[in-house]
Amino acid sequence: MTRRPLNRQGNDIGTQYRSAIFYASEQQKKIAEKVKKEVDASEKWKAQVTTEISPASHFYLAEEEHQDYLQKHPDGYTCHFLKTLK
């Protein structure tokens, strides 16, 4: 989840830069909403979480140059973190 301004990553602005969780079941939706509320209630940050929680719909695979972007561009966006899968 993110506390950054709505629809923005660094200098990039627009809905394509939004923070979002797309859920595939009601259970996933409830978990996402619960965690978002917990983060907001923690008052760890001054602003409310701007992460959108929406149902998953059509999925479009990105162009090859955008696949595994942070592995290919480790100095890319600083608002992301690499997640190691075990």
Side-chain angles (χ1 to χ4, degrees), residues 1 6 16-17 20 24 35 43 48 55-57 70 80 85:
M1 297 201 178
L6 185 63
Q16 70 271 34
Y17 299 105
V35 171
E43 298 181 348
Q48 296 289 299
S57 60
L70 294 178
H80 295 124
L85 298 176

Side-chain angles (χ1 to χ4, degrees), residues 18-30:
R18 71 192 182 279
S19 169
I21 296 172
F22 298 101
Y23 60 87
S25 69
E26 282 302 309
Q27 180 183 16
Q28 289 176 344
K29 178 183 178 183
K30 288 177 184 177

Side-chain angles (χ1 to χ4, degrees), residues 7-43:
N7 299 333
R8 183 174 189 158
Q9 288 181 7
N11 292 326
D12 297 324
I13 300 171
T15 57
Q16 70 271 34
Y17 299 105
R18 71 192 182 279
S19 169
I21 296 172
F22 298 101
Y23 60 87
S25 69
E26 282 302 309
Q27 180 183 16
Q28 289 176 344
K29 178 183 178 183
K30 288 177 184 177
I31 292 168
E33 290 172 340
K34 178 179 181 264
V35 171
K36 185 175 177 181
K37 285 179 186 177
E38 289 172 355
V39 171
D40 281 337
S42 75
E43 298 181 348

